Amino acid sequence: MALVETVRGPVDAASLGTTLMHEHVFVLSEEVRRNYPAYWDEDERVDDAIVKLNALAARGCQSIADPTVLGLGRDIGRIKRVADGTDLNIIVATGLYTYNEVPLYFKYRGPGPADSATGGLDPMAQMFIEDLTTGIAGTGVKAAFLKCAIDDQGCTPGVERVMRAVCRAHAETGAPITVHTHPGTGTGRDVLRVLREEGADLTKVVLGHSGDSTDLDYLTEMADTGCLLGMDRFGLDLITPFEQRVSTVVALCERGYAGSMVLSHDASCYIDWFPPEVVPLFAPAWHFEHLFDDVLPALRERGVTEEQIETMLVANPQRYFGGS
Ligand SMILES: [Zn+2]
């Protein structure tokens, strides 16, 4: 039995059930929030998140993987309050989200040479390992996966440093990895180069936001390495329209790639990057129920089988978190 850490403690990977592999409870500009508390109501937001996650659970979703890490306002104490109000398993992550430079905190705390006190281990990697093995910030909650990012700036020195630190924590703990990628500029290739150099297990990697791309040659090239493709931004139709997202999943299923895809929205209960009233204007379908209301029916209509859907929503997440 392989155990997966969730906010409420370890569960059997085989019991995760239908799992959305990239959803955020909160994405917050935490320093702004703390300094301008008049713009934030903690109880209201926690209650709202519970309502939204329970609505998701009512659709048959049993687990979400929440890749909210440093740079996205992670606060596990707040997530614990939310988890207390829902039966949904919330799986949390460690890592760092940047498209370019590392935060100044890390800029002047480098790995140092191999023969120094750190043994050449990036202090950032050491922190990730602590989150995975002893728990996060005294909450007792352990992270179950690692997260880093690369966007259209490409593999900058900061991005590469974080990616290598994530790989070191993966090597040390076996925790799987999710990478925010920008498939439009083919950044999955940069990820694979670094991960291969670090000896990462590519079957334990989600190339997040792959579903923003409709380039089947790129997507099959990535999937053929063993990685999972994150078809994980359903509802962000402004980036890639619904029809194209659906067609891409259908085409990959037809080519035998159901075992290489996971499905999600990259939605949040609350994200402070946008004024709340603006989100429904630019992304009306960007919410947790879109997959169940719109995407799965469209996939079925286009010939994707129940078995393929089960593979993408249940078996692939279970393998990522639990299977060897
Ligand atoms: Zn995300």
Side-chain angles (χ1 to χ4, degrees):
M1 185 169 93
L3 293 176
V4 186
E5 293 293 339
T6 75
V7 175
R8 275 194 305 270
V11 303
D12 182 0
S15 73
L16 289 177
T18 294
T19 304
L20 301 189
M21 287 284 277
H22 193 126
E23 307 294 351
H24 301 271
V25 179
F26 298 114
V27 175
L28 298 174
S29 309
E30 189 58 20
E31 194 178 7
V32 176
R33 192 199 64 77
R34 291 177 84 95
N35 282 278
Y36 298 92
Y39 295 89
W40 173 262
D41 184 328
E42 181 86 12
D43 290 342
E44 184 187 341
R45 293 270 65 93
V46 167
D47 291 346
D48 174 72
I50 290 169
V51 168
K52 285 173 177 161
L53 293 178
N54 282 336
L56 173 60
R59 311 312 293 265
C61 179
Q62 285 145 281
S63 306
I64 60 166
D66 179 349
T68 306
V69 292
L70 296 185
L72 293 169
R74 187 181 73 170
D75 183 331
I76 298 302
R78 184 178 298 124
I79 301 300
K80 270 183 93 168
R81 284 190 65 197
V82 172
D84 285 341
T86 173
D87 289 334
L88 203 72
N89 295 310
I90 304 174
I91 304 165
V92 299
T94 185
L96 198 153
Y97 184 87
T98 179
Y99 296 168
N100 193 355
E101 295 193 52
V102 296
L104 292 171
Y105 180 93
F106 293 106
K107 184 168 179 178
Y108 301 107
R109 286 177 174 86
D115 60 358
S116 67
T118 63
L121 183 67
D122 195 320
M124 191 188 299
Q126 179 58 38
M127 288 166 155
F128 301 161
I129 291 166
E130 287 165 12
D131 282 353
L132 292 158
T133 57
T134 59
I136 300 168
T139 60
V141 175
K142 291 178 187 169
F145 67 116
L146 288 144
K147 162 84 177 291
C148 58
I150 178 169
D151 206 80
D152 61 358
Q153 289 101 314
C155 204
T156 68
V159 160
E160 184 162 342
R161 180 177 161 195
V162 177
M163 208 175 283
R164 289 188 189 279
V166 158
C167 286
R168 287 292 296 273
H170 159 79
E172 183 81 17
T173 64
I177 301 170
T178 288
V179 188
H180 162 113
T181 68
H182 186 266
T185 49
T187 56
R189 295 190 181 101
D190 299 279
V191 175
L192 290 170
R193 174 181 61 78
V194 174
L195 266 58
R196 282 193 168 113
E197 284 174 15
E198 294 287 338
D201 176 357
L202 299 183
T203 69
K204 292 291 195 179
V205 175
V206 171
L207 294 177
H209 314 330
S210 291
D212 287 353
S213 172
T214 58
D215 180 345
L216 295 177
D217 290 336
Y218 170 79
L219 293 170
T220 54
E221 176 193 330
M222 295 298 105
D224 287 341
T225 68
C227 288
L228 285 163
L229 304 174
M231 313 308 272
D232 54 15
R233 276 183 158 176
F234 280 102
L236 277 174
D237 298 344
L238 207 65
I239 297 173
T240 306
F242 174 79
E243 261 310 310
Q244 292 183 19
R245 290 186 187 276
V246 167
S247 298
T248 305
V249 172
V250 170
L252 288 169
C253 282
E254 284 169 353
R255 293 177 188 206
Y257 285 95
S260 301
M261 289 184 280
V262 291
L263 308 177
S264 212
H265 306 95
D266 194 13
S268 317
C269 297
Y270 185 84
I271 177 168
D272 73 4
W273 293 6
F274 315 102
E277 67 278 11
V278 170
V279 176
L281 301 178
F282 76 83
W286 195 32
H287 57 75
F288 295 147
E289 291 167 63
H290 177 49
L291 193 82
F292 298 92
D293 288 350
D294 308 309
V295 178
L296 297 182
L299 293 176
R300 291 183 177 111
E301 196 170 299
R302 305 272 292 273
V304 174
T305 66
E306 290 308 318
E307 190 188 344
Q308 288 169 324
I309 289 172
E310 200 267 353
T311 297
M312 294 185 282
L313 286 178
V314 181
N316 294 343
Q318 186 182 320
R319 191 177 75 232
Y320 174 84
F321 280 114
S324 49

